[in-house]
Amino acid sequence: QDAVSTLSECVTLDPRSVDAYVLLAQANLELSKPASAEQAILAAQSLGLESADLHYARGVILEQRDRIDDALAEFERARELDPTSVDYLVAQAECLVARDRAPEALRLLEENMNRFDDDATIATLAGHVAVRLGDPEKASAYFVRASISAGGDPRTLEPLALLLARQGRCAQAI
């Protein structure tokens, strides 16, 4: 709550600070106050301020409200403004899956995977989407890639082990 008060003061003192609005929105989200978070974002946008983080935060709020198409548009805009963010890419792909557009989500992840080869999140999500699409071999390859990206972290092998076990390949799962 102190952070919200301080950030509200920052917004008052410098109403052109995009970062202050973003942080205010994030602080409100952490306090489970999505309406207040959205007010901060809309206030920034009403001043003509724009940033990838503003669009991403609004997308998170819209996704929480089950307005997936609107959230998807916000995540797409965030990626247009900052194509280097893994979070924006993952959020966009997750929305595509939620809208029953899993093949499109997998293509998006595959097209961008090499740009983020040190991040296991994209490969893990691609593996889950491949499972959903009924392609266990592709899923296995992505889960292995995620493990390699994560430096062999055993937690990244769990999805692969579960997939192998479901296929009756228990010896490999162990």
Side-chain angles (χ1 to χ4, degrees), residues 29-90:
L29 281 173
E30 298 231 352
L31 292 172
S32 298
K33 296 182 173 183
S36 296
E38 188 169 34
Q39 285 175 348
I41 294 165
L42 294 175
Q45 290 175 334
S46 74
L47 294 171
L49 303 177
E50 183 175 50
S51 78
D53 287 336
L54 277 175
H55 287 283
Y56 177 74
R58 183 129 196 269
V60 168
I61 293 164
L62 293 168
E63 188 176 21
Q64 288 175 353
R65 293 180 178 161
D66 204 30
R67 293 176 50 196
I68 303 301
D69 291 329
D70 295 330
L72 179 58
E74 293 293 337
F75 295 142
E76 287 172 345
R77 182 64 182 140
R79 281 200 59 236
E80 287 173 12
L81 295 171
D82 181 5
T84 66
S85 172
V86 170
D87 292 336
Y88 306 160
L89 173 64
V90 167

Side-chain angles (χ1 to χ4, degrees), residues 149-171:
S149 295
D153 182 339
R155 294 174 293 177
T156 62
L157 289 173
E158 183 179 343
L160 176 60
L162 291 171
L163 175 64
L164 292 172
R166 274 188 246 133
Q167 294 176 319
R169 297 163 56 189
C170 295

